[in-house]
Amino acid sequence: DGLASQIVGFSQVELDGVRSRIRKEETNLGDLMADAILWQARQVAKAFGVPSADVALQNGGGIRNNDIRGPGEISKKDTFDIAPFSSFVTLVPHIPRDQFKDILENAYSAVASSSGRFAQISGFEVVVDLAQEARDPDNPEGQPGHRVRDVVLNDGTVIVMDGIVFPGPALNVATLDFLAGGGDQYPFEDASYTQLGVPYQQALSNYVAQGLDGVIGADQYPTGGDGRIVMLGP
């Protein structure tokens, strides 16, 4: 009751956390969670002595409310319902571009089964062709995956085009410690990472209250998302 009485913001739109969608496609709540992780990682980067994050990944399986929230007030209880696990915002620096593509291939390798590994994203756009061969996490060298066709950062930097990785600087990835440690078979491998001391629930609460000044706008978070994940094929 106490958490329900603590209002962190107001949503102008229905926020879609229904499991059958958030594990298979972009939703506006998925966008909001990924944006919260990216924003929070950037806010505390200097204090932790880590580089600023370029992109963020939130697994759909970590978003647990399985319903629609809003429009209307969003409370602290809502943020715990959405993000209830003891997962912390984490920064994985200097991920090579080809490894980042592999990470995304894993994220979109089991879409048909509504696997919790499905990535909601921030900081970039991705085009995924489900008609292409999926990555086999148990045999990635034999079946590396070819579903990720395009990856373009928000500033226009091309990471992948037509399935080909463009050369360039490595990426600093904000995510959850669960994924950075290999959860959902995310191939971060032995990359070092820094847990940034903020649970992902708190990141969501902070982002709504501070980053968005208390208003989850319908223009910024429209129903169905803003088009940052494009799914092609069956």
Side-chain angles (χ1 to χ4, degrees), residues 54-164:
D54 300 303
V55 296
L57 304 172
Q58 162 71 60
N59 61 318
I63 301 172
R64 304 298 291 190
N65 55 303
N66 194 25
D67 61 15
I68 303 291
R69 297 293 163 107
E73 292 179 335
I74 300 298
S75 68
K76 275 282 183 70
K77 180 180 182 299
D78 289 318
T79 66
F80 275 100
D81 291 342
I82 292 165
F85 295 131
S86 56
S87 294
F88 283 76
V89 177
T90 295
L91 194 283
V92 191
H94 313 309
I95 293 295
R97 292 179 173 205
D98 56 352
Q99 185 178 0
F100 186 64
K101 181 179 183 291
D102 286 345
I103 289 167
L104 294 178
E105 291 286 358
N106 176 73
Y108 302 118
S109 64
V111 176
S113 65
S114 298
S115 168
R117 74 183 59 191
F118 185 94
Q120 302 288 339
I121 66 172
S122 181
F124 67 103
E125 296 180 359
V126 63
V127 176
V128 180
D129 186 352
L130 298 179
Q132 300 295 322
E133 184 178 55
R135 184 181 195 273
D136 181 353
D138 298 317
N139 184 27
E141 292 192 8
Q143 191 168 319
H146 303 285
R147 288 184 165 184
V148 175
R149 308 311 300 166
D150 301 334
V151 176
V152 181
L153 302 187
N154 286 357
D155 66 4
T157 300
V158 175
I159 306 299
V160 179
M161 186 62 67
D162 294 329
I164 304 300

Side-chain angles (χ1 to χ4, degrees), residues 10 15 39 56 75 214-215 218 220 233:
F10 182 90
L15 298 171
W39 176 87
S75 68
V215 179
Q220 188 171 359

